[in-house]
Amino acid sequence: MNEQVRRTIASYTTYQEAERAVDHLSDHGFPVERVAVIGQDVRLVEQVTGRMGHAGAALQGAASGALADALLGWIFGLLNWLDPVVSGLLRALYGMVFGALVGALPGLLVHAAQRGRRDFASVSFMQPNRYDVADDALRLLAEPPSGTGTGTSSGARKSSRPRSGPAVT
């Protein structure tokens, strides 16, 4: 749906507060399929988790390669694509060892190629400043009424809607 036709009915500083508001609307019979929780003023936060040296880069590459190749080895062992005598777990172990060896080298090379420009490990996440609870009532008002037009108007439906917070325009 187009974000421009949504009307903000409340704003909250935490996602949990916005979630409680939608739950409150649901508990009172509001058609929550019309509601959206929209994170506003989003910023990227990169939390530094520690130093990254050559050994850490090699270890991170080894872990990535080991996981991927262990999964492939396990699948090959289960499907008996290569040798029906060798079990899936043994192939997973071989894949893990091979993947660790092969993954460590690119991890080390990429880290060395950066020449100290990024000697730290980090985790990135998006963090909104506020959460708006909005509904698409404006879109519903713009649509022509269905049927012969003798049913309830959208104004009557709007007046029975519970409000969980102050309206924000």
Side-chain angles (χ1 to χ4, degrees), residues 96-112:
M96 187 171 66
V97 171
F98 179 73
L101 294 173
V102 170
L105 185 61
L108 184 60
L109 290 175
V110 167
H111 181 72

Side-chain angles (χ1 to χ4, degrees), residues 57-142:
L59 185 62
Q60 187 175 7
S64 297
L67 182 64
D69 282 3
L71 180 62
L72 283 174
W74 181 66
I75 290 172
F76 283 163
L78 284 179
L79 299 175
N80 291 326
W81 285 349
L82 300 176
D83 186 3
V85 177
V86 180
S87 73
L89 292 177
L90 188 56
R91 287 203 191 276
L93 179 63
Y94 289 154
M96 187 171 66
V97 171
F98 179 73
L101 294 173
V102 170
L105 185 61
L108 184 60
L109 290 175
V110 167
H111 181 72
Q114 291 177 347
R115 299 184 193 269
R117 282 191 306 264
R118 188 169 169 97
D119 284 344
F120 61 90
S122 64
V123 178
S124 298
F125 56 93
M126 303 295 275
Q127 184 178 38
N129 190 35
R130 74 175 195 273
Y131 296 89
D132 290 346
V133 176
D135 71 4
D136 62 352
L138 294 178
R139 182 186 61 83
L140 293 173
L141 290 173

